[in-house]
């Protein structure tokens, strides 16, 4: 089934009107923001943004899979539903709804869409909101892993000197320059810098903001930005940031432009493993 990657507030409203849609809306914002107001019947799963992958070796990935399988079962999601994820606005939440969409697909959910423009677009469209929390029965979530979506540390290490694979860093400017180790605090990670031979496009560049609503740029604009660092439709791209959120946001843009890419969850793991090489020059 071909599910739209991005869905507008109006399209979501129409989908919810279809009684047979089996749609579930997932709010990735903080519990505080969700408690103030949210899209009716949406459920809050903040963990899609906050969860830090311990490592990308089999044990670490298994822990991630089990963690989210338990959460999904608790909130009554089996994985067969049509899932729509949203955040407040796409340029403010560090890619949180995109990371949610990425993880859902990685875990095996086939029908996943992102609310384009986020909650802000929903509100500006004058659509209803609520502070009521829906009650859902638990279910059994079944994993159907799409393991190839995730780049492991071992694969990234092998790709460093492979010019056929572009290592795309999409972190904020200070992180790329080697002035900060994370989006949290400058010294959150033990090492600053970047993965050797990486190129850089700050994730914000893939979006444009009009009327307070952040939206992805056009296919043509995204391709032009990518071409500035040597990325074309024929490129193989490994995208990384600190924990896979901004990278997931960029993956959406690349996918819209027809570029093949995978996500490495990323600098938080790489920086902490002192056996891995780091380009630590201050740019």
């Amino acid at each position: 089934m071909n599910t739209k990657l991005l869905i507008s507030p109006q399209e979501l409203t129409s989908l919810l009107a279809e009684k047979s849609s089996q749609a579930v809306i997932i709010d990735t914002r903080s519990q505080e923001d969700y408690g103030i107001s949210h899209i009716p019947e949406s459920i809050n799963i903040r963990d899609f943004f906050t969860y830090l992958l311990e490592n990308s070796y089999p044990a670490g990935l298994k822990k991630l899979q089990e963690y989210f399988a338990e959460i999904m079962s608790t909130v009554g999601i089996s994985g067969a539903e049509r899932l729509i994820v949203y955040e407040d606005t796409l340029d403010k939440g560090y890619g949180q709804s995109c990371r949610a969409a990425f993880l859902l697909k990685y875990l095996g959910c086939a029908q996943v869409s992102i609310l384009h423009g986020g909650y802000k677009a929903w509100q500006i469209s004058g659509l209803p909101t609520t502070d009521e929390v829906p009650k859902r029965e638990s279910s059994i979530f079944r994993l159907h892993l799409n393991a190839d979506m995730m780049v492991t540390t071992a694969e990234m290490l092998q790709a460093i000197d492979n010019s056929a694979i572009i290592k795309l860093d999409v972190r904020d400017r200070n992180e790329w320059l080697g002035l900060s180790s994370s989006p949290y605090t400058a010294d959150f990670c033990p090492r600053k810098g970047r993965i050797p031979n990486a190129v850089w496009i700050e994730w914000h560049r893939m979006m444009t903001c009009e009327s307070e609503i952040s939206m992805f740029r056009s296919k043509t604009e995204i391709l032009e930005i990518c071409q500035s660092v040597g990325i074309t439709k024929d490129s193989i791209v490994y995208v990384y940031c600190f924990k896979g959120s901004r990278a997931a946001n960029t993956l959406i843009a690349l996918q819209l432009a027809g570029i093949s890419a995978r996500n490495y969850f990323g600098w938080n793991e790489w920086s902490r493993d002192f056996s891995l090489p780091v380009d630590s020059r201050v740019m």
Side-chain angles (χ1 to χ4, degrees), residues 33-214:
D33 287 341
Y34 174 79
I36 294 169
S37 71
H38 49 263
I39 296 175
E41 298 302 315
S42 65
I43 57 176
N44 181 247
I45 308 180
R46 179 64 169 171
D47 303 68
F48 278 125
F49 178 61
T50 58
Y51 184 89
L52 283 178
L53 180 66
E54 191 171 291
N55 61 67
S56 59
Y57 295 98
L61 291 172
K62 186 173 186 292
K63 187 175 179 180
L64 176 146
Q65 294 155 16
E66 292 174 346
Y67 182 87
F68 282 104
E70 181 177 352
I71 287 177
M72 300 287 274
S73 297
T74 300
V75 299
I77 296 176
S78 69
E81 302 86 353
R82 174 74 184 274
L83 303 173
I84 300 92
V85 294
Y86 74 90
E87 58 189 282
D88 185 54
T89 178
L90 293 170
D91 65 337
K92 302 295 184 184
Y94 277 78
Q96 60 191 245
S97 64
C98 300
R99 190 182 200 245
F102 177 86
L103 283 170
L104 288 167
K105 291 180 180 180
Y106 168 75
L107 295 170
C109 302
Q111 303 180 72
V112 183
S113 298
I114 297 165
L115 180 60
H116 202 189
Y119 190 56
K120 186 81 69 178
W122 181 271
Q123 289 177 305
I124 289 177
S125 296
L127 295 168
T129 63
T130 185
D131 62 359
E132 295 181 6
V133 178
K135 294 181 180 180
R136 295 182 57 85
E137 298 292 331
S138 62
S139 66
I140 297 176
F141 179 80
R142 302 192 183 281
L143 288 166
H144 299 284
L145 285 180
N146 292 310
D148 288 344
M149 293 177 62
M150 189 89 73
V151 176
T152 66
T153 293
E155 289 174 317
M156 183 62 89
L157 182 61
Q158 291 177 342
I160 283 179
D161 295 319
N162 185 349
S163 60
I165 299 175
I166 296 178
K167 284 67 66 178
L168 177 59
D169 187 321
V170 299
R171 295 174 299 162
D172 290 4
R173 183 178 184 84
N174 281 351
E175 293 167 78
W176 165 256
L177 292 176
L179 302 174
S180 178
S181 70
S182 83
Y184 299 128
T185 62
D187 297 312
F188 184 87
C189 293
R191 296 189 290 173
K192 301 180 180 72
R194 61 209 66 81
I195 293 175
N197 299 324
V199 298
W200 178 61
I201 299 175
E202 193 169 19
W203 68 291
H204 279 284
R205 291 183 61 195
M206 296 298 188
M207 295 171 288
T208 182
C209 186
E210 297 178 1
S211 303
E212 301 181 43
I213 304 174
S214 178

